Amino acid sequence: MGTQEPLKSLMAKASPARSGDFLAEVAALSQEERVKAQRRLADTTLAEILNEPLIDPDEDEVSALIYEQHDAEGFAPIANWSVGEFREWLLSEAATPEAIADLKWALTPEMVAAVSKIMRNQDLIAVAKKRPVVTAFRTTVGLPGHISVRIQPNHPTDDPKGVAASIVDGLQFGCGDAVIGINPATDSPAAMRRLLELIEELRLRLGCPVQSCVLAHVTTAIDCMSRGAPVDLVFQSIAGSEKANSSFGISLSMLREAHDAARGLKRGTVGSNVMYFETGQGAALSADAHHGIDQQTMEVRAYAVAREFDPLLVNTVVGFIGPEYLYDGKEIIRAGLEDHFCGKLLGVPMGCDVCYTNHAEADQDDMDNLLTLLGVAGVNFIMGVPGSDDIMLNYQSTSYHDAAYIRQVLNLRAAPEFEAWMVEAGLFDSDGVLLPASHERAARLLGQAKLEAA
């Protein structure tokens, strides 16, 4: 490098300010120091970044994976670009969707994290918009001009009627085309199977093209698959170092076993992407597994793990870990845009849980801003939580009506297979637009689901 400062330190100091980096004592201590670091980082070449591992690959399986994935031939034409030149190219007309996609395996997480640190929010949005990542299972997610929604019908006791009512409520708002994903109150094979069978029965009754996921530990999913449970997507939280993943009780080999088992079930109808991963800035630091690396770079390293398994969905739960890592609305908004941009450049199907905890210096106006910016940027999916208040996890997210808002104001559509079902069910018009509420249609849907109308 052109400076004697280690890359790890330079990248940390170049990061836009956030509370987690101050907690880890890696942040620049002034805006002047931060800008100087950003200028030095802008002059660093991509080859220099490649040649200075932030964690020794001999001691960390995520680092080893990053170097195994790297496409040296595809990297050669851009190896001598500086980070600043890479930024200028990304913003130019030469960086077409196809040209950016061709660099998927030539880019490492550290290169992508570095360029994000010298970009404005506007830059992050403009470039991410140019890089759609499309995946499919029973619905096709990530098509340009579309946005999908996860129904998150969590219940503090996993009550079947409460969960089913939340699902049907979400469907009436046009949500569920990303996944119907439940965080179980109890992580056990028996609990997971009950919830999977509940969604499966509801899906078949309604004839609705959706995929399900119970967000239990990957070992629980492996157990359920071995016993014949109707597993569509396998979930796991992941992070950017082997030590952090070990704190989740996982390894790359374990994820590979789950991926292969789920693919073997062949339950998808229009595609075979079977993994659902969640991430979040601060996850590695909270496990004391960040190796002195800033939290945003550690987050992007998690995307190397994700893309290894060709997932249907990757969700950055951006404000969930708390203000110790992202203090206020401004930091949450920046992090959400960074995560989406970095994931898309690495070919990851990024969604975002636009959220905050009740003790953060943030409110629903901040979430409205981030939701709208991500909609413009082409985010693959968002969350749909009844009333935006998750009564089991106790945090604030986006609601079913927020999903209707973002589709309306940005003229975005649901996944095509799901849209066709919504039209047939009389919930969308022929142009894929949500129709006004109707007691008659609601009663008909509840009748099909075998739930009683209030």
Side-chain angles (χ1 to χ4, degrees), residues 43-48 51 75-83 85-86:
D43 291 335
T44 303
T45 68
L46 301 183
E48 287 174 322
N51 292 331
F75 180 63
I78 66 171
N80 292 323
W81 284 4
S82 69
V83 173
E85 289 170 330
F86 182 36

Side-chain angles (χ1 to χ4, degrees), residues 31-51:
Q31 182 64 11
E32 180 181 1
E33 184 182 17
R34 183 170 299 108
V35 170
K36 287 180 178 178
Q38 289 171 339
R39 291 179 68 89
R40 293 196 301 274
L41 184 60
D43 291 335
T44 303
T45 68
L46 301 183
E48 287 174 322
I49 293 175
L50 181 67
N51 292 331

Side-chain angles (χ1 to χ4, degrees), residues 44-64:
T44 303
T45 68
L46 301 183
E48 287 174 322
I49 293 175
L50 181 67
N51 292 331
E52 188 174 341
L54 299 187
I55 309 175
D56 187 344
D58 292 332
E59 300 177 0
D60 181 86
E61 68 173 3
V62 176
S63 289

Side-chain angles (χ1 to χ4, degrees), residues 11 15 23 107 151 161 174 192 243-244 251 256 274 292 320 327 396 432:
M11 291 184 69
S15 291
L23 179 65
L107 297 173
I151 289 179
K161 286 188 176 180
M192 181 174 181
K243 183 179 178 182
S251 64
R256 194 164 287 112
V274 296
F320 182 74
Y327 178 71
Q396 308 302 310

Side-chain angles (χ1 to χ4, degrees), residues 1 57 89 155 179 224 226 281 288 364 367 418 424 431:
M1 291 179 59
W89 179 81
H155 192 282
V179 64
C224 283
S226 73
Q281 288 194 29
D288 192 25
Q364 213 62 39
M367 300 305 102
F418 184 80
E424 185 178 346
D431 294 320

Side-chain angles (χ1 to χ4, degrees), residues 390-404:
D390 191 307
I391 59 173
M392 196 271 280
L393 295 176
N394 293 307
Y395 78 111
Q396 308 302 310
S397 184
T398 45
S399 65
Y400 300 148
H401 63 270
D402 289 327

